Amino acid sequence: AAGAVGTAVCLAAKRRGVASTSTKARGGDLGRLPVGRAGIATLRRNTSQMQDEQTDEVRSMAGSIVKKTTVLVLGSTGTVGRQVVRQMLNAGYSVRCLIRNKADRPFSFLVDWGASCVDGSLNRLESLPTSLIGVHTVIDCSTAGPEESVYDTDWEGKKFFIQCCEKMEIQRYIFMSIKDCDKFQDIPLMKIKYCTEKLLGNSTLRYTVLRATGFMQPLISEYALSILDDQKVWGDDGSNPGIAYMDSQDCARFIAAAATKERLVGKTITLGGPKVWTSNEVISMCEKLSGRKADINIVSNQLLEATKFVAGGFEWTRDVAERLQFAALNQGKPGIEVAVMSQEAYELLGVDPTNTRKLEDYVGEFYRRVFKKLTKGSYEPEAGEVEKEQDEMDRKAKEVFEGNTKDELPQGQPAEKDVLVDDQREMAEILQDFQELKAIARSNDAVNKWFGLVPIAEVINGRSAMMGFSLGLFTEWATGISVAKQVDQLIAIFQTPS
């Protein structure tokens, strides 16, 4: 971090004409990087799409103060993120969404709602700084996808992103974490979430950490729909303590409340639902509401532990083993209480606990709509149903954004200040240049070379030799010809006949 700060200062001086334009005169770490103009131009093109989309918006803000109603949402296409976008848009906020890859990720519904989308990813660090220009509040609901590295995305990417927020003076940062992440340090994602919490605590950002439990939405495909289709569902041996599931819409309201309450700056709050449910209780409830008998496969914790142990012995299955470590959450730990969301948390957020949705109501509404579609061929809302739902959403949103409770900044926390858009833009250019130059340096590093006595060549050659030998053994078993004779025959093919 110190090297990055020093480099940023040198680049800032260069832009103001204090330093020369040569790479050597930039000082710090950048003075030793093998940088070429062609390399910079190539990386510039990678982020040109995102910059072009923001040009008009940022140009209109030139010389102005960052508006308090501008929000950037990470993870906006996820279960919680999309609900956060709706909540903030309905409240009149200007919402910007950071989309990992527009080519293969559906995001048109965000545009239809009124949000603006920019291309960027926590795995492409050079794309992050410009996404923060003109932003007052960041709501971070993102995490690594199944195809991504947890370490690269949730730690390296988030670490630089938080540093960008700090340097560009983002005034609020809402971070979605996981309940009891500080007590399960043997699980990689939990450890990274807790380290990110500590990183925010050591920063100058006005942050709020929200630790979430499980959500109701995945239970529909996992239990409710499977039982209705007479498919197998996975149960447990009854030793799991359960989870206080909450609706993603309720979670979005909690996040919106945290983003608008001064009294929550520097706080860590655990979010949850109104009741703790075990897997077997969820299955029984779905059986009752659907009128079907579930075909249950019982999976013991011992079997999960054994599978995790075997998967952890191979590099290509290590991701599977890390995800199976979440089975430890279901087993619980001594001293860890499985409870619903506390009354104190509701009061801090300014939310009435009676306005949170119950799991039985959520699943019951799903079955009601499904049965109506099955009997009538399509689902049509009853007279006044849509208006009733909209009125309920407006009432709950009003509770969050127009609360009358006392709201004072906790003692010792930094007060909010005005930030110029031009200052954010200048710092974004500095940080982007820094990451581009680091990317060029990495591309020229021996670690990334394919030929010679380098790590990549050693790995490829070793794996190729192992694959060839394994193929030879299989051929020897199938044909009865030894590996040595197979090599002789292969050489003979390429020899000139005598």
Side-chain angles (χ1 to χ4, degrees):
V5 173
T7 301
V9 172
C10 291
L11 282 171
K14 173 184 77 68
R15 291 185 183 279
R16 294 185 179 91
V18 177
S20 66
T21 58
S22 66
T23 304
K24 183 178 180 180
R26 290 178 182 177
D29 295 335
L30 300 186
R32 298 189 295 274
L33 298 181
V35 179
R37 291 182 180 272
I40 296 179
T42 301
L43 283 170
R44 285 286 188 188
R45 284 195 295 271
N46 292 337
T47 55
S48 61
Q49 179 184 4
M50 178 185 65
Q51 293 174 337
D52 291 343
E53 291 173 350
Q54 296 186 75
T55 299
D56 296 336
E57 180 183 0
V58 173
R59 186 183 294 117
S60 65
M61 299 179 183
S64 62
I65 295 175
V66 175
K67 296 180 180 179
K68 296 182 179 181
T69 55
T70 53
V71 178
L72 175 68
V73 180
L74 274 67
S76 53
T77 58
T79 301
V80 177
R82 63 181 63 198
Q83 299 298 338
V84 172
V85 172
R86 289 187 64 183
Q87 288 283 343
M88 303 307 286
L89 286 173
N90 292 339
Y93 282 73
S94 175
V95 181
R96 185 183 303 170
C97 303
L98 188 69
I99 306 298
R100 287 183 181 129
N101 190 342
K102 290 187 175 182
D104 60 3
R105 187 170 296 273
F107 68 96
S108 58
F109 65 93
L110 299 173
V111 179
D112 295 338
W113 291 349
S116 61
C117 297
V118 296
D119 183 48
S121 171
L122 293 171
N123 293 322
R124 291 187 288 116
L125 304 185
E126 69 277 0
S127 68
L128 298 177
T130 52
S131 67
L132 291 167
I133 300 176
V135 171
H136 176 275
T137 301
V138 169
I139 299 177
D140 182 2
C141 304
S142 64
T143 191
E147 74 285 355
E148 296 174 325
S149 166
V150 173
Y151 178 81
D152 291 339
T153 303
D154 284 287
W155 178 242
E156 291 295 338
K158 290 278 181 75
K159 181 172 66 174
F160 178 69
F161 183 74
I162 290 172
Q163 290 171 344
C164 289
C165 291
E166 191 172 10
K167 294 302 175 185
M168 296 177 65
E169 298 184 308
I170 301 300
Q171 293 302 296
R172 288 302 304 272
Y173 194 103
I174 310 300
F175 177 62
M176 286 300 298
S177 187
I178 305 176
K179 180 180 179 294
D180 296 326
C181 61
D182 55 328
K183 299 178 177 65
F184 291 90
Q185 292 296 286
D186 54 332
I187 302 177
L189 180 59
M190 302 286 274
K191 183 176 182 179
I192 289 175
K193 289 289 187 181
Y194 183 56
C195 288
T196 306
E197 291 182 11
K198 293 195 292 184
L199 179 64
L200 286 169
N202 293 328
S203 70
T204 58
L205 290 172
R206 289 158 40 86
Y207 72 92
T208 301
V209 174
L210 301 176
R211 294 181 174 181
T213 56
F215 296 103
M216 298 178 183
Q217 279 65 28
L219 299 179
I220 295 298
S221 58
E222 186 175 353
Y223 293 110
L225 192 58
S226 298
I227 292 175
L228 196 62
D229 291 339
D230 294 326
Q231 297 178 357
K232 292 183 180 295
V233 294
W234 299 98
D236 58 64
D237 54 11
S239 62
N240 297 339
I243 298 174
Y245 294 102
M246 63 177 169
D247 184 16
S248 62
Q249 293 185 7
D250 289 335
C251 184
R253 289 194 298 120
F254 298 153
I255 294 172
T260 55
K261 301 290 190 301
E262 284 286 292
R263 61 176 176 268
L264 295 179
V265 174
K267 299 286 187 179
T268 297
I269 299 177
T270 299
L271 307 180
K275 181 182 176 180
V276 176
W277 292 81
T278 65
S279 298
N280 295 333
E281 289 174 342
V282 173
I283 294 173
S284 299
M285 183 257 297
C286 292
E287 288 179 329
K288 180 180 179 181
L289 293 174
S290 64
R292 301 289 183 90
K293 186 66 178 177
D295 185 3
I296 306 174
N297 274 348
I298 301 298
V299 181
S300 65
N301 292 325
Q302 290 76 13
L303 178 59
L304 291 175
E305 288 292 332
T307 306
K308 181 187 70 174
F309 177 78
V310 174
F314 304 94
E315 183 178 358
W316 55 85
T317 57
R318 192 165 297 168
D319 288 341
V320 176
E322 290 180 355
R323 295 182 185 277
L324 285 174
Q325 284 183 310
F326 275 92
L329 298 179
N330 295 330
Q331 300 174 22
K333 273 189 176 182
I336 297 180
E337 181 183 4
V338 180
V340 299
M341 187 168 165
S342 66
Q343 183 63 33
E344 180 185 3
Y346 282 114
E347 293 175 357
L348 284 171
L349 293 168
V351 176
D352 186 355
T354 60
N355 287 334
T356 57
R357 179 176 287 184
K358 299 178 181 179
L359 180 59
E360 55 267 36
D361 295 337
Y362 179 76
V363 177
E365 177 65 16
F366 166 77
Y367 280 130
R368 184 185 70 83
R369 297 192 179 200
V370 168
F371 290 148
K372 186 174 182 180
K373 186 174 182 180
L374 291 175
T375 55
K376 296 186 178 182
S378 63
Y379 174 75
E380 294 293 338
E382 298 178 358
E385 182 178 345
V386 176
E387 291 77 8
K388 182 180 179 180
E389 290 181 355
Q390 187 61 46
D391 291 342
E392 184 179 0
M393 290 179 59
D394 293 342
R395 177 177 59 81
K396 292 180 178 180
K398 185 177 180 180
E399 175 189 46
V400 170
F401 293 101
E402 300 180 8
N404 297 321
T405 57
K406 188 177 181 181
D407 188 24
E408 293 183 355
L409 185 69
Q411 187 175 2
Q413 295 296 330
E416 185 173 311
K417 62 180 180 180
D418 293 333
V419 180
L420 293 176
V421 176
D422 290 340
D423 291 342
Q424 286 189 332
R425 183 190 299 109
E426 182 178 0
M427 181 55 67
E429 292 175 356
I430 294 170
L431 294 169
Q432 183 176 346
D433 282 348
F434 174 67
Q435 277 302 326
E436 289 174 348
L437 295 174
K438 283 185 65 177
I440 294 174
R442 287 194 298 269
S443 66
N444 294 331
D445 196 290
V447 176
N448 296 314
K449 291 184 178 179
W450 284 66
F451 301 101
L453 298 176
V454 293
I456 292 180
E458 292 179 6
V459 171
I460 293 177
N461 292 337
R463 291 181 177 177
S464 299
M466 292 173 61
M467 179 61 70
F469 185 71
S470 301
L471 185 61
L473 292 176
F474 176 77
T475 307
E476 179 179 346
W477 170 79
T479 63
I481 302 175
S482 66
V483 176
K485 289 185 177 180
Q486 291 179 44
V487 174
D488 290 338
Q489 291 181 3
L490 183 63
I491 296 174
I493 293 174
F494 297 99
Q495 287 182 342
T496 303
S498 57

